[in-house]
Amino acid sequence: MTKPSLRDLLHAAVTAVGGTERPGQVTMAEAVGQSIDDGSHLLVQAGTGTGKSLGYLVPALAHGDRVVVATATLALQRQLVERDLPRTVEALHPLLRRRPEFAMLKGRSNYLCLHRLHEGVPQEEEDGLFDPFEAATPTSKLGKDLLRLRDWSDETETGDRDDLTPGVSDRAWSQVSVTSRECLGATKCAYGAECFAEAARERAKLAEVVVTNHALLAIDAIEGAPVLPPHEVLIVDEAHELVSRVTGVATGELTPGQVNRAVRRAAKLVDEKAADQLQTAAEGFERLMELALPGRLEEIPEDLAYALMALRDAGRTVVSALGATRDRSVQDEDAVRKQALASVENVHAVAERILGGSEYDVVWYERHDRFGASLRVAPMSVSGLLREKLFADRSVVLASATLKLGGDFNGVGASLGLAPEGVEGDDLPVWKGIDVGSPFDYRKQGILYVARHLATPGREAGRADMLDELAELVEAAGGRTLGLFSSMRAAQAAAEELRGRLDRPILLQGEDTLGELIKNFAADPETCLFGTLSLWQGVDVPGPNCQLVVMDRIPFPRPDDPLMSARQKAVEEAGGNGFMAVAATHAALLMAQGAGRLVRATGDRGVVAVLDPRLANARYGGFLRTSMPDFWYTTDRNQVRRSLAAIDTAAKGAGV
């Protein structure tokens, strides 16, 4: 039998999901297939509406060997496993003469732990969950959640937290789940044969396509403890998120609460001297953190160094003691010991890392109104890690709607550890970038309006001229507005002001769950939704109810962001343009994502309004505009109001 072509396979898959084959999708599938065949690396920008999931799934399934697909969002993971993969496998079966298996794999803490559920682990937080005279009667929301989880454990086939509807609080879930460090291991656990996490791993070992997330991919690559099955092809979807997710996994943190929790967990398992040493170190650290001011620590202050040395040395003593002693009087002692070890080892490791003073790390204090102060350490860059760990042993395809910034892939490529396109060297991964376009005609469907007449924004949240402009735009659009703000303070100030001025519903992020807010926004054309970061990337509302997307200002990193400012300084010291490489690239990525909220379907029309004159006036404005969809560009405020009014009238005439 003649081997089917990728075009034939893609046509069958697209037909099966009820879609329409697009030129960009065909181009992408062929480029991905070529990259897989020759073992090279590919960055592929596929605009909204291209159908990029099938553009990489079809060549992946045709390949025949194991492929790992890593995504950033739960929504896309579920779409792949519950919709796209089942339909595609069935559609390709007659042509491939096989039905490739697929599976989803997440970190261990995403699965319910039967040992933790049934045997429990003594915890400070558990007091008061149940009435002491009637064990089955919960007296708190937490107690009710735990009873629900116990019932659900008998019904679920996966034990996956995301399959529990409605969900439970993080606090409740933490009492029925374990991290990989806390896990007893399948061979030592009485519930090992029934373990949900182990079952997921076994399914992944047998699957041809394994769908996972960026965080687990980072753990697998960076920590040297393989959690993903061996694979020769890696596809990273939503690849614009990869660097931030890897940075998150590689970031260490110490808080007084975390250290005190380690003390409590270890105290019953080690001798009094070791426990007192850790307790004293924890008290010294807590006193210091009460006075900590937010900001980067370019050098470790002497008092902090002493506190960290005390934590490191006490942690080492307790870890040794936990390994050397056993107290059989403690119920479920092995599980208790594992939990204590995980807590103390983390404290020891982070303290030792900060004391090590690596030139490649950034250390800073952070202070949160609710959670207090924390001490954090993160890598200056993850590009070297990614180059060494991700690209060395497999073919990697990175896909997103926003990878091409300022007209090329080099900015994103550099953050991933790739040399400029076309530059080759003995230790440099060979790669190419391809933009397969979008099925949308952006110049006819959308307008990019820059309010050039406004004052340059400062650090204040409530800019009077910007709020006047925003109110006029919203009124002209008849509502239908997604407001993307650079800070929560700015979003709150705008919502408060416009609620007083306009007779239209203004929804504000934080006043309800994100899912409920987006649902209500999509249901009512007069409604506006204001918010910050998660809205820049997480809203998909096609149709006339989202016809105006407003950005209050260019979303540069905060000047006092320790990690971003350290990265910018490092680029400058190496002779580069730190502002363009870090701050402008960060802003370009967010603006490209934010502008992408406007046109989600072929019939969508509307305006992206940027209320920051720097996008028109500053030298870097062209770089940022080139990174956004190719909308028709104007600074004429009257033209934009007329256009918004016409779009609103047309929508009302159509009954929406």
Side-chain angles (χ1 to χ4, degrees):
M1 178 180 175
T2 305
K3 183 179 178 181
S5 70
L6 268 179
R7 284 176 177 260
D8 291 339
L9 293 171
L10 183 62
H11 179 74
V14 170
T15 302
V17 299
T20 303
E21 202 171 308
R22 302 177 177 97
Q25 193 178 41
V26 174
T27 303
M28 177 178 176
E30 291 177 340
V32 172
Q34 184 62 48
S35 179
I36 291 174
D37 288 343
D38 61 26
S40 63
H41 308 304
L42 176 71
L43 272 64
V44 54
Q45 176 160 294
T48 303
T50 305
K52 71 177 185 300
S53 296
L54 289 184
Y56 61 70
L57 284 181
V58 170
L61 291 167
H63 175 57
D65 291 319
R66 182 179 289 118
V67 174
V68 168
V69 178
T71 77
T73 60
L74 168 65
L76 183 54
Q77 288 176 52
R78 295 186 77 95
Q79 176 189 315
L80 291 174
V81 172
E82 295 177 5
R83 192 186 73 185
D84 292 351
L85 274 166
R87 293 179 181 180
T88 305
V89 165
E90 286 306 309
L92 299 189
H93 170 243
L95 297 170
L96 295 177
R97 299 290 184 92
R98 55 187 174 84
R99 281 192 176 87
E101 296 288 330
F102 54 89
M104 189 188 300
L105 185 61
K106 303 177 183 178
R108 191 171 290 274
S109 61
N110 290 280
Y111 301 96
L112 185 141
C113 172
L114 292 171
H115 183 279
R116 192 74 173 272
L117 180 75
H118 295 301
E119 306 298 332
V121 174
Q123 285 199 354
E124 330 60 66
E125 298 95 344
E126 289 184 347
D127 294 336
L129 297 186
F130 298 95
D131 187 306
F133 302 106
E134 180 54 67
T137 304
T139 58
S140 68
K141 170 71 164 61
L142 180 58
K144 292 175 182 176
D145 279 348
L146 291 175
L147 280 182
R148 268 193 65 218
L149 286 164
R150 191 170 295 167
D151 292 340
W152 179 69
S153 70
D154 294 327
E155 303 163 4
T156 178
E157 294 182 4
T158 65
D160 185 336
R161 180 180 183 178
D162 294 318
D163 291 339
L164 175 64
T165 306
V168 296
S169 67
D170 290 346
R171 186 182 175 200
W173 186 259
S174 71
Q175 298 196 37
V176 296
S177 64
V178 294
T179 65
S180 57
R181 286 188 172 186
E182 294 170 336
C183 177
L184 292 173
T187 57
K188 294 182 179 179
C189 179
Y191 300 88
E194 309 161 63
C195 176
F196 292 118
E198 290 297 322
R201 285 195 175 198
E202 289 303 312
R203 287 193 295 271
K205 287 179 183 177
L206 300 173
E208 210 169 282
V209 177
V210 178
V211 179
T212 188
N213 54 58
H214 289 182
L216 197 64
L217 173 65
I219 291 168
D220 183 78
I222 292 171
E223 297 191 354
V227 290
L228 296 172
H231 54 282
E232 62 175 43
V233 178
L234 169 65
I235 296 171
V236 182
D237 202 345
E238 302 168 308
H240 61 277
E241 289 274 7
L242 183 61
V243 168
S244 64
R245 300 301 172 104
V246 172
T247 300
V249 168
T251 297
E253 181 180 40
L254 283 177
T255 68
Q258 173 192 8
V259 173
N260 287 327
R261 190 156 50 247
V263 171
R264 288 193 296 271
R265 288 174 173 176
K268 299 175 184 178
L269 300 171
V270 298
D271 62 69
E272 188 175 347
K273 182 179 178 181
D276 285 348
Q277 184 184 355
L278 187 59
Q279 176 71 54
T280 301
E283 290 170 356
F285 179 70
E286 186 168 14
R287 283 194 299 271
L288 191 66
M289 293 299 285
E290 288 173 358
L291 305 173
L293 297 175
R296 184 184 178 190
L297 303 173
E298 297 206 34
E299 292 185 4
I300 305 302
E302 189 175 6
D303 54 354
L304 177 59
Y306 281 128
L308 290 174
M309 282 190 279
L311 280 178
R312 178 196 62 190
D313 296 343
R316 184 189 298 122
T317 299
V318 170
V319 168
S320 298
L322 286 170
T325 62
R326 288 276 193 260
D327 181 358
R328 294 297 178 186
S329 66
V330 179
Q331 186 181 13
D332 303 313
E333 182 258 350
D334 280 344
V336 173
R337 185 175 302 280
K338 268 281 191 178
Q339 188 182 65
L341 261 175
S343 293
V344 180
E345 282 175 342
N346 182 64
V347 170
H348 172 267
V350 176
E352 188 167 56
R353 177 179 173 185
I354 295 172
L355 286 168
S358 169
E359 62 179 305
Y360 302 110
D361 272 343
V362 180
V363 180
W364 72 96
Y365 284 128
E366 223 171 71
R367 184 168 286 281
H368 192 281
D369 291 342
R370 181 179 173 190
F371 302 111
S374 63
L375 178 64
R376 311 195 84 197
V377 55
M380 180 79 73
S381 168
V382 295
S383 58
L385 271 174
L386 290 170
R387 181 170 57 244
E388 178 187 352
K389 304 290 188 181
L390 207 66
F391 293 98
D393 301 320
R394 59 182 72 82
S395 174
V396 182
V397 174
L398 299 115
S400 170
T402 47
L403 288 179
K404 197 174 180 181
L405 303 179
D408 61 46
F409 294 93
N410 290 332
V412 170
S415 71
L416 295 166
L418 302 172
E421 192 170 8
V423 176
E424 296 186 15
D426 292 340
D427 61 342
L428 297 175
V430 177
W431 68 281
K432 66 179 180 180
I434 180 173
D435 182 354
V436 301
S438 167
F440 305 141
D441 188 341
Y442 285 117
R443 291 190 69 79
K444 290 184 178 179
Q445 291 184 247
I447 297 171
L448 172 60
Y449 163 60
V450 180
R452 192 172 194 165
H453 61 283
L454 297 180
T456 300
R459 301 195 67 179
E460 72 282 359
R463 298 154 50 203
D465 61 344
M466 183 275 289
L467 292 172
D468 290 341
E469 183 81 10
L470 176 61
E472 291 178 19
L473 289 169
V474 170
E475 195 64 20
R480 310 178 191 274
T481 301
L482 176 64
L484 305 177
F485 292 84
S486 53
S487 71
M488 205 59 231
R489 282 179 59 237
Q492 289 165 345
E496 182 180 348
E497 179 72 18
L498 264 64
R499 282 169 175 169
R501 289 197 198 190
L502 306 179
D503 187 23
R504 300 188 187 281
I506 309 288
L507 305 177
L508 178 64
Q509 186 178 354
E511 293 182 348
D512 204 336
T513 65
L514 194 56
E516 197 63 23
L517 288 170
I518 294 172
K519 177 183 173 183
N520 292 336
F521 172 57
D524 179 9
E526 291 202 3
T527 295
C528 303
L529 172 58
F530 291 178
T532 184
L533 187 59
S534 53
L535 296 188
W536 287 73
Q537 304 182 82
V539 177
D540 184 10
V541 180
N545 287 15
C546 180
Q547 294 187 336
L548 173 61
V549 174
V550 178
M551 304 179 195
D552 69 326
R553 62 195 297 163
I554 298 171
F556 292 123
R558 296 192 331 266
D560 60 352
D561 183 302
L563 188 55
M564 288 294 193
S565 58
R567 288 175 170 174
Q568 189 166 320
K569 182 179 178 182
V571 173
E572 289 164 359
E573 289 175 348
N577 186 327
F579 172 77
M580 291 303 295
V582 179
T585 296
H586 171 87
L589 191 58
L590 272 179
M591 294 187 81
Q593 285 283 311
R597 302 309 99 202
L598 181 70
V599 176
R600 310 298 295 177
T602 52
D604 288 354
R605 300 285 187 277
V607 172
V608 172
V610 181
L611 309 186
D612 186 335
R614 293 174 295 178
L615 189 62
N617 301 333
R619 284 191 300 172
Y620 52 77
F623 171 79
L624 298 176
R625 293 197 306 271
T626 305
S627 304
M628 300 166 74
D630 186 26
F631 296 127
W632 187 75
Y633 172 61
T634 186
T635 58
D636 185 336
R637 59 193 303 202
N638 294 321
Q639 173 64 54
V640 163
R641 280 157 181 71
R642 288 194 297 270
S643 297
L644 283 171
I647 294 169
D648 178 42
T649 300
K652 288 175 178 174
V656 289

